[in-house]
Amino acid sequence: MAQAALLVIDVQQSFLHRDFWQDEDVPAFQRNISALIEGCQAKAIPVIDVFHVAEQGPFSLDSGWVKRMDFLQHQATLSVQKRVHNALTESGLLPWLQAQAIDTLIISGIRTEQCCETTARVASDLGFKVLFVSEATLTFPMTHNGVTLSSAELIHRTETVLVNRFAEVVSVEACLARV
């Protein structure tokens, strides 16, 4: 039987202090990630809080904003900090997962196409089974070369490049039924 862990990636107050923050998709994200956390805890699946840390700005430890967003009230099994876009390579998380014989990672958090997607790709390359719960991720529109992709377009793009390659893309309900 698979041993799973839920990664709650970068759901931290730092994002509230970035100029791209928008509230539009936040209520659905809060409901979905909260349901995922509660469901995993009910199944005794470890919940890992992952925090992004930078030298300066709202992601610096000195800012006081490298802490969970207020709506999250769970008790994390483990909390780690990272300074790169994936949660595994330098946070100390990988050896912990290996020591616990975890073979399946459930991915949730902020930003869908950045730290969540990057963690999914690295996890797959390291041999983990990856369940990517995109409805429990959050992102914001991005512009490049004059073209803006909406949050929904970015999520669709992430699902497209991950599915059948790096991860299984699942809903909260399907994820909880599988683990």
Side-chain angles (χ1 to χ4, degrees):
M1 184 169 168
Q3 289 291 108
L6 170 62
L7 303 186
V8 179
I9 300 172
D10 301 348
V11 185
Q12 62 194 74
Q13 294 180 18
S14 307
F15 278 106
L16 300 172
H17 304 279
R18 296 299 302 264
D19 58 359
F20 54 75
W21 179 265
Q22 296 179 9
D23 290 329
E24 181 180 334
D25 298 324
V26 172
F29 166 70
Q30 289 178 345
R31 280 191 307 277
N32 291 332
I33 198 168
S34 295
L36 182 61
I37 291 167
E38 290 169 17
C40 284
Q41 288 182 317
K43 293 175 175 270
I45 292 170
V47 177
I48 315 302
D49 283 344
V50 179
F51 296 100
H52 192 86
V53 176
E55 292 300 316
Q56 299 175 10
F59 288 86
S60 72
L61 294 174
D62 290 342
S63 74
W65 297 321
V66 179
K67 55 187 173 185
R68 282 194 298 219
M69 289 188 173
D70 290 339
F71 76 93
L72 292 177
Q73 299 298 314
H74 64 279
Q75 182 71 30
T77 307
L78 178 71
S79 292
V80 298
Q81 295 177 352
K82 63 182 181 60
R83 295 183 182 274
V84 297
H85 291 99
N86 81 83
L88 299 168
T89 59
E90 50 82 78
S91 64
L93 178 56
L94 182 58
W96 185 89
L97 294 169
Q98 292 167 331
Q100 305 303 311
I102 302 293
D103 60 6
T104 301
L105 295 181
I106 303 164
I107 307 291
S108 68
I110 302 175
R111 294 182 66 175
T112 309
E113 78 293 345
Q114 291 183 36
C115 295
C116 295
E117 180 180 327
T118 304
T119 298
R121 287 173 180 262
V122 170
S124 175
D125 283 352
L126 291 172
F128 290 94
K129 178 177 181 179
V130 179
L131 299 176
F132 194 89
V133 188
S134 53
E135 67 183 9
T137 69
L138 180 68
T139 196
F140 310 95
M142 296 178 74
T143 302
H144 176 66
N145 286 341
V147 177
T148 299
L149 297 179
S150 69
S151 297
E153 289 168 326
L154 286 166
I155 291 169
H156 178 76
R157 180 224 152 264
T158 293
E159 291 175 345
T160 300
V161 300
L162 290 179
V163 73
N164 299 323
R165 292 171 194 85
F166 299 98
E168 183 176 345
V169 177
V170 294
S171 66
V172 170
E173 182 179 355
C175 178
L176 294 174
R178 298 279 301 281
V179 291

